[in-house]
Amino acid sequence: MRQANLLVSRTLGELAKHIRPGVSTKQLDDIAEEFIRDNGGEPTFKGFPNPYGAPFPSSICTSVNEVVVHGIPEPSVVLRDGDVVSVDCGVLLDGFNGDSCYTFCVGDVASEVRQLLKVTKEALYRGIDCAVAGRHIGDIGEAIQDYCQGFGYGVVRELTGHGIGRAMHEDPKVPNYGRRGRGVMLKSGMCIAIEPMITMGDRAIGLLPDRWSIRTCDGKPAAHFEHTIAIRKGKADILSSFEEIESLEGNLY
């Protein structure tokens, strides 16, 4: 699990070198797929089934600005100065899955949007702090929800984190809202993906005609950060990493 997740992290780190105005999301997808396969992995998102239509056609999800999740990379979607793009990546390596997401700034991003990214990333780590053996799924959700709503942001309800292991999506679901002491009790050795999906405005979302991309109904930006972790008795073991990305980004927010 650790090796699969570190390959995801290295892929996101490689993409961080290429995210700039003028680059298309399809170019990012091509870079990601080549990197994953060159390092012995398989992009698990490619061909992922969709109950509403065709399987997912790409190796990563690239969700720009008001697109919350599941954005399809396209040659026509070219990043512009001031955009934000969430890149979600999944890898199968030696029979185990890795999953992580990071929201990147493209060029000079407005301070209020950078604040949204900062709070969403901080909320992820607040959730992780609650993800220890003996506590409950609701503890994670409450920590994320309370922190983000304290800034007036919306917390998406229809999409959640998840268990992960031999399959990309396993039980239990890991919502970004909840109440302490509720839900599945966490046990040492469980692996889960925690992924706050937070909106600058209202939390209402809708499905776009491509039957994959999900965007905010009010058109305001969203942010999405995700780590895969292993539950331990004292402190969660974070299996993915943002270190390479953060070393390239510097102090953006």
Side-chain angles (χ1 to χ4, degrees), residues 155-224:
V155 179
V156 172
R157 304 293 184 96
E158 295 85 354
L159 304 159
T160 70
H162 51 90
I164 183 171
R166 293 280 186 181
M168 172 60 71
H169 294 136
E170 301 180 351
D171 290 333
K173 292 183 178 180
V174 186
N176 296 305
Y177 63 94
R179 293 183 63 184
R180 190 178 311 170
R182 302 288 181 88
V184 172
M185 179 180 285
L186 301 171
K187 297 181 180 180
S188 185
M190 291 174 64
C191 289
I192 59 174
I194 301 175
E195 47 181 320
M197 290 158 272
I198 307 301
T199 64
M200 180 170 281
D202 191 87
R203 65 177 178 86
I205 56 174
L207 185 66
L208 291 178
D210 64 20
R211 311 301 287 172
W212 274 106
S213 305
I214 295 174
R215 59 159 285 170
T216 59
C217 289
D218 61 12
K220 293 183 179 180
H224 179 200

Side-chain angles (χ1 to χ4, degrees), residues 122-177:
E122 288 172 347
L124 169 61
Y125 288 105
R126 285 173 177 256
I128 290 171
D129 285 344
C130 295
V132 295
R135 298 189 71 171
H136 293 259
I137 288 291
D139 296 33
I140 300 171
E142 183 183 80
I144 293 169
Q145 180 182 14
D146 285 357
Y147 188 64
C148 293
Q149 288 184 170
F151 288 85
Y153 298 145
V155 179
V156 172
R157 304 293 184 96
E158 295 85 354
L159 304 159
T160 70
H162 51 90
I164 183 171
R166 293 280 186 181
M168 172 60 71
H169 294 136
E170 301 180 351
D171 290 333
K173 292 183 178 180
V174 186
N176 296 305
Y177 63 94

Side-chain angles (χ1 to χ4, degrees), residues 98 143 245:
I245 298 169

Side-chain angles (χ1 to χ4, degrees), residues 11 21 26 31 35 45 56 58 71 83 85 95 122 129 133 141 144 149 160 164 174 189 194 208 226 233 249 252-253:
T11 304
K26 180 61 169 66
I31 292 166
F35 189 88
F45 292 178
F56 196 75
S58 305
D83 285 345
V85 56
E122 288 172 347
D129 285 344
I144 293 169
Q149 288 184 170
T160 70
I164 183 171
V174 186
I194 301 175
L208 291 178
E226 176 183 17
K233 290 183 178 179
E249 279 193 338
L252 283 180
Y253 47 78

